[in-house]
Amino acid sequence: MGATAAPSRPMRADAQRNYDHIIEVAGSAFTEHGVLTSLDDIACRAGVGPGTLYRHFPTRDCLIAAALSGSLDQLEALAERLQASDDPGAALDEWMLALANHLRTYDNLPESIAESFRTSDSPLRNTCRPLTSATSALVERAKEAGVLRDDVDYRDLFALVSSVAWASQRRGDKDAARMLALATAGIR
Amino acid sequence: MGATAAPSRPMRADAQRNYDHIIEVAGSAFTEHGVLTSLDDIACRAGVGPGTLYRHFPTRDCLIAAALSGSLDQLEALAERLQASDDPGAALDEWMLALANHLRTYDNLPESIAESFRTSDSPLRNTCRPLTSATSALVERAKEAGVLRDDVDYRDLFALVSSVAWASQRRGDKDAARMLALATAGIR
DNA sequence: GACAATCCGGAGACAGTCTCCGTATTGTTT
DNA sequence: AAACAATACGGAGACTGTCTCCGGATTGTC
């Protein structure tokens, strides 16, 4: 869901416009310069004041979460498809690669996500929750099919995939496939 | 070598005193607050002005490298011992764990080190060079002994160990053993 | 004791984060 | 359509951290 939220009342028209536009600009900025890029600069590029940006997105993580929600929806769709796959092993492989690459969407995103998992209620963490539960489900199926070691915890696996995303990004690899193959060679 | 360097002439006495004291204070500060802690604050705690700190250590990486050099010497000593071990497989295991834990010495150190490997001549990278060559040697021996897959590149392995250090630190694990076991289960 | 060479320190320029509140816009009511 | 309340805007500016510059202090040498 790429929802915009409507708690009590809907947003005022101008607010909604700014909200959407900020997300759009933020996406470009993150793509170009990574998630650590200046927020005031994003506000400026979006033609709004810093105050407006911070009101809509009180923290950097809020903005990252919003910018990510589109591609997250796609990933969730993939997860559902894979859960219906008749080859749990291949499904898990495909999932891990897709997940690793998604965690690399922006420069320095793996750090932000990993960090968000340490703080109680980060919006980024909440946004990523479907990813962990999908991982859990696919791990369970793979274990039942006997193509994954029984002692592999899905949280450990998620951490492993995150770290692969981090390492491959830091090395400047074009995707996470190479590191992932190395890191997951022994989980079967 | 925890050398202080003496290019043409030795340092003036007061300069040497400050230099050493800054390293000492930096070590504590990094231990307490991670490598991202304020440098001006370190200067202040060391009783010198910012200018003095930046003259001795033009970049954060310089200071990190200096603060790390002590424990690095120990690691190098371990590497030499392990290269003489009669069990190359166990030696590599022990090395990877020691390396992973060393890369975790300070909070956020894995990021700094990984980053330094991307920039041409970071002092931190140069400081860590002995670690990569020791890894190379131990990997070679393990391959010859047939306890390591032939297609494992030592650079990939170093990256893998780095990422394990990163992930285990981010998770707040007390050491890197658990993640390392998972990540390296399939390299044999 | 004096004179170079070396080194110190802190003021301050700069960049990024984030807030506060006077002003402007919007939607609703009559 | 005019007026009113609710909502949202924006930018000045406080604050923190980085890093530099250079007048003045310290050290080593003759």
Side-chain angles (χ1 to χ4, degrees):
Chain A
M1 43 195 109
T4 302
S8 41
R9 280 203 224 167
M11 256 180 183
R12 228 172 66 176
D14 55 344
Q16 183 72 58
R17 219 179 317 137
N18 282 331
Y19 183 94
D20 292 342
H21 192 222
I22 289 171
I23 292 178
E24 200 181 311
V25 170
S28 310
F30 290 155
T31 300
E32 269 181 76
H33 307 113
V35 297
L36 264 28
T37 193
S38 158
L39 295 184
D40 275 27
D41 193 59
I42 289 176
C44 185
R45 285 219 263 163
V48 302
T52 300
L53 186 144
Y54 283 96
R55 194 167 345 93
H56 285 309
F57 309 98
T59 67
R60 184 180 294 271
D61 278 6
C62 288
L63 187 51
I64 297 174
L68 233 37
S69 77
S71 61
L72 252 175
D73 291 346
Q74 286 180 247
L75 244 202
E76 285 182 56
L78 174 64
E80 279 189 39
R81 240 178 300 134
L82 290 175
Q83 278 171 49
S85 156
D86 55 0
D87 185 343
L92 183 60
D93 281 340
E94 192 178 339
W95 172 249
M96 289 192 298
L97 184 56
L99 180 58
N101 283 330
H102 183 264
L103 294 174
R104 284 173 40 119
T105 303
Y106 306 129
D107 203 29
N108 287 108
L109 181 59
E111 282 91 335
S112 292
I113 291 184
E115 187 56 37
S116 80
F117 273 82
R118 298 200 60 180
T119 55
S120 48
D121 48 28
S122 156
L124 191 48
R125 175 187 183 154
N126 293 336
T127 298
C128 290
R129 198 175 301 273
L131 302 185
T132 59
S133 46
T135 303
S136 172
L138 287 162
V139 158
E140 215 47 53
R141 275 199 76 211
K143 281 184 187 173
E144 280 166 19
V147 293
L148 179 63
R149 278 167 34 195
D150 267 333
D151 62 335
V152 175
D153 185 276
Y154 81 92
R155 274 165 271 134
D156 290 345
L157 195 66
F158 191 90
L160 189 63
V161 173
S162 299
S163 75
V164 161
W166 175 79
S168 64
Q169 183 174 82
R170 238 82 264 277
R171 285 173 26 129
D173 295 353
K174 74 173 197 305
D175 68 21
R178 179 186 178 81
M179 288 296 303
L180 187 64
L182 182 64
T184 61
I187 61 176
R188 272 155 236 301
Chain B
M1 41 190 112
T4 302
S8 42
R9 281 201 221 167
M11 256 178 183
R12 229 171 67 176
D14 53 345
Q16 182 72 58
R17 217 179 318 133
N18 283 330
Y19 183 94
D20 292 342
H21 191 221
I22 289 171
I23 292 179
E24 199 181 313
V25 170
S28 310
F30 290 155
T31 299
E32 268 180 77
H33 306 112
V35 297
L36 264 30
T37 193
S38 158
L39 295 184
D40 276 27
D41 194 60
I42 290 177
C44 185
R45 283 220 265 163
V48 303
T52 300
L53 185 146
Y54 282 96
R55 195 168 343 94
H56 285 309
F57 309 98
T59 69
R60 186 180 295 271
D61 278 7
C62 287
L63 187 52
I64 297 174
L68 232 38
S69 76
S71 60
L72 252 176
D73 291 347
Q74 286 179 248
L75 243 202
E76 285 182 56
L78 173 65
E80 279 189 40
R81 240 180 298 134
L82 290 175
Q83 278 171 51
S85 156
D86 55 359
D87 184 343
L92 183 59
D93 281 340
E94 190 176 341
W95 173 249
M96 289 192 298
L97 184 56
L99 180 58
N101 283 330
H102 181 264
L103 294 175
R104 286 173 37 123
T105 304
Y106 305 129
D107 203 28
N108 286 106
L109 182 58
E111 282 91 335
S112 292
I113 289 183
E115 188 56 36
S116 80
F117 273 81
R118 298 199 61 179
T119 56
S120 48
D121 47 29
S122 156
L124 190 49
R125 174 186 182 154
N126 294 335
T127 299
C128 289
R129 199 174 300 272
L131 301 185
T132 59
S133 45
T135 303
S136 172
L138 287 163
V139 160
E140 216 47 54
R141 274 199 77 212
K143 282 185 187 172
E144 280 165 18
V147 293
L148 179 63
R149 277 166 37 193
D150 268 331
D151 63 334
V152 174
D153 186 276
Y154 81 93
R155 274 164 272 134
D156 290 343
L157 194 66
F158 191 90
L160 188 64
V161 173
S162 299
S163 75
V164 161
W166 176 79
S168 64
Q169 183 175 82
R170 237 84 262 276
R171 284 171 29 127
D173 295 353
K174 72 174 200 303
D175 67 23
R178 179 185 178 83
M179 288 295 303
L180 187 63
L182 182 63
T184 61
I187 61 176
R188 275 154 234 302

